[in-house]
Amino acid sequence: MTLRTTLRPVLAVTCGLVLAGAAGACGSAGSSGDRLSIVASFYPLAEAAQRVGGDAVSVTDLTPPGVEPHDLELTPSQLGAIADADVVLYLGGGFQPAVEDAVSSASGRAVDVSADLRTLPVPAEESEPTLTADPHVWLDPVLYRRIVQEVDRTLSEVAPAQAASFHANADTFGRQLEDLDAAYRTGLEHCARDEIVTSHAAFGYLAARYGLTQVPIAGLTPDEEPAPQRLADLKALVERDGITTIFTEELLSPDVADTIARETGTTTHVLSPIESLTPDELSSGADYDSVMRRNLTELRRALGCS
Ligand SMILES: [Zn+2]
């Protein structure tokens, strides 16, 4: 990496910090021009970085659109991006072990955005051995707002000259998330049912926040195949409790959900865990807020909320 002669303040500050902290190159100035280079390990962190950083940042999402982020494998160029970035944002607890391994090589700041959150434990029956916590914190708007605040703190420390702008952007996004939280509280207050059958156990934090009970087909990791006894128990529960909807995800096969729905006379609908947006969603301008609001509409319909 070579320092350019036309540095703008944000890069000058960043490079100053990097050079003061350790020997080595100046961030990833070569790839991101004069903007702060941020690598985010999956979509919700990329959106938080983009919303807080605005024009002052260049964000790379390690998880491509439409790809499921659990156990993401990294290409050599992605390892290089992690090593060179000014800031790496990731989620700890064994969600993406390859990313957690790679951040030790980061020359910039690497932040586990869930480090200060109270996470939910991994159920005893979970089959994914790398998980030490339920990773799906971002599906609770209250916790996601705290992640946004953590991103604001991090960017403001790395590029203090831009801190006022980062704070303002984070406040704007934070108010949007408060509105979203209020919409969930109101929207899910008076419902005929409180159980949601989901494809994988992504909605534990959301369920805990809004008084729902999650009944997942698979565990915390989506590729887990449910055992025959689990399927039989699920079907019995769906029939016993009058559940109307089996929730699927865009990025997972709906086969098991379709089977349960067919055999119980219920229907399937998509409930997005926002682990990655699909290319269609991205091109139509969807974002965390719009998908969460679509999810709320789906939940209200499924649960018979008035
Ligand atoms: Zn998940």
Side-chain angles (χ1 to χ4, degrees), residues 166-207:
F166 296 151
H167 295 338
N169 293 342
D171 284 350
T172 299
F173 198 13
R175 280 193 296 275
Q176 190 179 9
L177 296 173
E178 283 180 338
D179 289 347
L180 181 67
D181 172 47
Y184 265 77
R185 284 184 194 286
T186 307
L188 297 174
E189 197 172 2
H190 303 290
C191 305
R193 292 169 293 280
D194 66 3
E195 290 175 306
I196 51 171
V197 179
T198 63
S199 288
H200 86 288
F203 298 89
Y205 293 92
L206 183 140

Side-chain angles (χ1 to χ4, degrees), residues 68-70 95 134-136 138-139 200-202 219-222 249 273 275:
E68 193 269 299
H70 282 268
F95 174 52
D134 180 343
H136 303 93
W138 65 91
L139 286 166
H200 86 288
L220 290 170
T221 303
E249 301 177 20
E275 300 195 333

Side-chain angles (χ1 to χ4, degrees), residues 1-4 7-22 24-30 33 35-36 86 158-159:
M1 304 294 166
T2 53
L3 276 171
R4 296 184 175 185
L7 295 177
R8 288 212 306 219
V10 61
L11 181 60
V13 168
T14 309
C15 292
L17 287 181
V18 170
L19 292 171
C26 174
S28 61
R35 291 182 291 177
L36 205 60
D86 296 312
V158 172

